[in-house]
Amino acid sequence: MAATTELVDFDEVIAKFDPAMGLEIHVELNTNTKMFCGCPTAFGAEPNTQVCPTCLGLPGAMPVVNRKAVESAIRIGLALNCEIAEWCRFARKNYFYPDMPKNFQTSQYDEPIAFDGYLDVDVEGETFRVEIERAHMEEDTGKSTHVGGSDGRIHGADYSLVDYNRAGIPLIEIVTRPILGTGDKAPLVAKAYVSAIRDLIVALGVSDARMDQGSIRADVNLSLAPKGSGGLGTRSETKNVNSLRSVERAVRYEMGRHAGILLAGGSVLQETRHFHENDGTTSSGREKSDAEDYRYFPEPDLVPVAPSREWVTELRATLPENPAAKRVRLQKEWGFSDLEMRDTIGAGALELIEETVAAGAAPQAARKWWLSELTRRANDTGVELAEVGVTPVQVAGVQALVDTGRINDKLARQVFDGLIAGEGTPEEIVAARGLEIVSDDGALSAAVDKAIEANPDVADKIRDGKVAAAGALIGAVMKEMRGQADAGRVRELILEKLA
Ligand SMILES: [Zn+2]
């Protein structure tokens, strides 16, 4: 049936149905070791080199909880305004899959570490409160690679390989309550929520938070109910959506698809679905199991987790400023326009500018360097802005030289060349490359005389009172002095000499 479903236009969906969403986000923690063993977690190692009897599920191996992962889970829970359990357990979620060698996933079921929280997100000036049902701890599975088939799927593959390096890496799964009342903003609210979670995770420093590398993955549940009915329809769950834009598109597509089925008199199948980046569509995965099919039971090999209230209080004190509130504060402090702020965030330059300002530069000067000169260099070499090879302290140092008139913006670019080449501090580079602006009258005067001599017609115009013509002579002096002349002083000298 899915193949023949007509997609319904978004406006019509909104006119006839109320959407309900549920978002499940998996965050891969950046602990040094796995959730229940001491194996390293570094990304990109040779397959099956970061494994041990515990994460391979060998008989008799005993797991031990990673304290750092519990700490990160509690901090995430607190940042999401959750209650933190005084006592909770792990549970076995039983199902078979080749990349899960124990045939169960160690997770949490009815006793999550964090529960009953919320996160407020802004969409086009309107605030939506997303209620968090729970945030629980679990382990990641291994990774299967299907070889020989089309687009990496198991169907049609010649054989499959499995890498257990990822098996046992700690995950936090954050689950919302049904998100209702979003109407035509549903796709944007979903995107804003995932974006806000990512910002929070970055601010907490508990994960690499790279959606493109799968360290944050979103599952998008969607259902439609007849408009005004107040009910909840049957949901579909689109798995592992891995960019913010895809989250928005997946919601939009599923709304159109569900409406098509419902308006044709059909019923939506409760199932998991795959999202396709290339055309923004979803396709059927497997029928969704209900919780009872997993036969959850408490994990007998792990002691319960009972974080003391003192520890929770200590961790609460480590929480960073809420990222959304921080942006509002910084924009006000820096005097940036909405557009400047949006560009700053889009370029990933917020923290860099913050540190540059902290090192003494004016906000607009810091913004100018990071968003133009340094962004261009980062793009040219295909690296993140933070990895361009210049630190915020160095940018502030370059700007200080501009502020005191020792170099100008043009010469500053050569200082950045030197910084990236590792030639020392901005001060040292100016000295070694001889970049300092010349404002000594002796040197300038000779260059001005030479320019006047070479451009007699321009000089005559200035003598006749056409002061604007001085620009041409200033240009000539600058060229003569390789851009290092004090332009203001050169102008004064020209006007003095031709008065
Ligand atoms: Zn291990």
Side-chain angles (χ1 to χ4, degrees):
M1 181 161 97
T4 57
T5 302
E6 289 280 322
L7 280 188
V8 174
D9 183 69
F10 190 74
D11 290 339
E12 193 187 345
V13 179
I14 293 305
K16 293 181 175 157
F17 298 97
D18 292 324
M21 297 185 291
L23 293 157
E24 295 168 18
I25 297 182
H26 286 90
V27 178
E28 202 169 84
L29 298 180
N30 59 0
T31 52
N32 294 325
T33 56
K34 292 186 180 180
M35 187 79 219
F36 302 115
C37 63
C39 290
T41 55
F43 185 78
E46 281 291 303
N48 299 310
T49 55
Q50 299 179 161
V51 292
C52 73
T54 298
C55 55
L56 286 175
L58 300 186
M62 293 294 274
V64 178
V65 175
N66 182 335
R67 181 184 166 94
K68 184 76 186 173
V70 176
E71 178 184 304
S72 295
I74 294 172
R75 293 181 70 230
I76 290 171
L78 290 171
L80 293 170
N81 306 292
C82 287
E83 304 287 325
I84 304 301
E86 298 202 14
W87 189 93
C88 65
R89 281 183 296 191
F90 286 94
R92 294 186 176 186
K93 182 182 182 180
N94 295 283
Y95 64 102
F96 171 79
Y97 211 74
D99 60 18
M100 203 176 54
K102 293 182 294 189
N103 287 339
F104 61 84
Q105 180 186 29
T106 308
S107 180
Q108 292 194 289
Y109 178 45
D110 51 355
E111 298 165 316
I113 182 96
F115 50 91
D116 287 347
Y118 64 86
L119 186 63
D120 288 334
V121 299
D122 280 315
V123 172
E124 295 172 346
E126 197 178 342
T127 301
F128 292 87
R129 173 155 294 189
V130 177
E131 293 186 0
I132 310 288
E133 181 185 291
R134 54 193 279 142
H136 69 250
M137 302 179 279
E138 60 184 35
E139 59 179 340
D140 211 342
T141 60
K143 192 173 176 7
S144 299
T145 306
H146 307 297
V147 182
S150 66
D151 63 343
R153 299 206 184 273
I154 194 165
H155 302 285
D158 296 327
Y159 59 93
S160 299
L161 297 167
V162 63
D163 174 10
Y164 293 113
N165 284 353
R166 201 179 68 180
I169 287 187
L171 297 177
I172 303 299
E173 180 173 350
I174 302 165
V175 182
T176 68
R177 293 216 165 82
I179 305 167
L180 307 169
T182 55
D184 64 341
K185 302 252 172 51
L188 295 177
V189 170
K191 180 185 175 187
Y193 169 74
V194 178
S195 173
I197 290 278
R198 189 190 59 177
D199 291 345
L200 205 59
I201 295 299
V202 169
L204 287 164
V206 293
S207 167
D208 299 340
R210 294 282 299 267
M211 290 193 81
D212 57 336
Q213 289 179 5
S215 51
I216 294 187
R217 316 193 281 266
D219 298 342
V220 179
N221 288 274
L222 181 106
S223 65
L224 295 180
K227 196 160 187 76
S229 69
L232 279 177
T234 303
R235 68 194 164 89
S236 61
E237 180 180 4
T238 305
K239 302 288 282 183
N240 293 332
V241 185
N242 64 2
S243 77
L244 295 177
R245 181 165 170 265
S246 297
V247 168
E248 179 186 345
R249 291 168 85 204
V251 170
R252 205 174 281 276
Y253 179 83
E254 281 296 287
M255 286 172 72
R257 189 182 69 84
H258 281 226
I261 295 168
L262 296 170
L263 291 175
S267 35
V268 173
L269 191 64
Q270 183 173 327
E271 61 179 352
T272 61
R273 298 184 68 85
H274 303 295
F275 181 73
H276 304 287
E277 294 280 345
N278 54 348
D279 59 3
T281 65
T282 67
S283 63
S284 183
R286 60 183 157 85
E287 271 194 56
K288 176 74 178 169
S289 308
D290 283 319
E292 52 264 35
D293 297 331
Y294 290 122
R295 302 170 58 82
Y296 280 98
F297 64 87
E299 166 61 62
D301 288 346
L302 286 165
V303 292
V305 175
S308 74
R309 294 303 96 177
E310 291 74 28
W311 191 30
V312 172
T313 304
E314 271 171 40
L315 293 178
R316 191 184 291 280
T318 69
L319 293 188
E321 182 180 8
N322 175 283
K326 180 179 175 180
R327 286 173 186 178
V328 171
R329 174 177 65 80
L330 288 178
Q331 183 176 359
K332 206 170 154 198
E333 285 176 14
W334 294 347
F336 282 12
S337 68
D338 289 348
L339 180 67
E340 286 170 345
M341 201 61 188
R342 205 159 51 233
D343 287 348
T344 295
I345 292 162
L350 193 76
E351 278 73 25
L352 295 168
I353 292 176
E354 189 185 10
E355 289 170 35
T356 308
V357 171
Q364 286 294 2
R367 186 185 68 81
K368 176 188 69 184
W369 292 124
W370 286 110
L371 262 64
S372 59
E373 185 66 18
L374 297 172
T375 291
R376 184 181 60 73
R377 289 169 189 256
N379 290 343
D380 285 351
T381 46
V383 297
E384 296 285 321
L385 195 50
E387 272 116 49
V388 75
V390 180
T391 67
V393 169
Q394 289 172 331
V395 173
V398 172
Q399 183 57 35
L401 293 171
V402 174
D403 289 340
T404 52
R406 292 180 54 201
I407 58 172
N408 55 30
D409 283 6
K410 213 166 173 178
L411 294 166
R413 295 196 180 96
Q414 295 183 51
V415 180
F416 285 124
D417 288 338
L419 287 169
I420 289 169
E423 293 171 16
T425 65
E427 197 68 58
E428 288 163 355
I429 292 164
V430 166
R433 293 192 172 208
L435 296 177
E436 197 145 0
I437 284 176
V438 178
S439 49
D440 164 56
D441 276 1
L444 293 181
S445 188
V448 168
D449 289 342
K450 199 171 164 191
I452 290 172
E453 229 178 273
N455 300 279
D457 47 334
V458 179
D460 283 343
K461 279 188 194 162
I462 298 169
R463 281 197 194 89
D464 290 346
K466 293 192 180 106
V467 178
L473 291 187
I474 296 170
V477 173
M478 282 304 223
K479 196 170 172 195
E480 169 75 15
M481 300 192 66
R482 293 179 301 135
Q484 287 173 246
D486 176 343
R489 186 62 194 140
V490 169
R491 184 183 167 82
E492 285 170 11
L493 284 174
I494 290 169
L495 297 182
E496 275 170 29
K497 284 173 192 284
L498 299 176

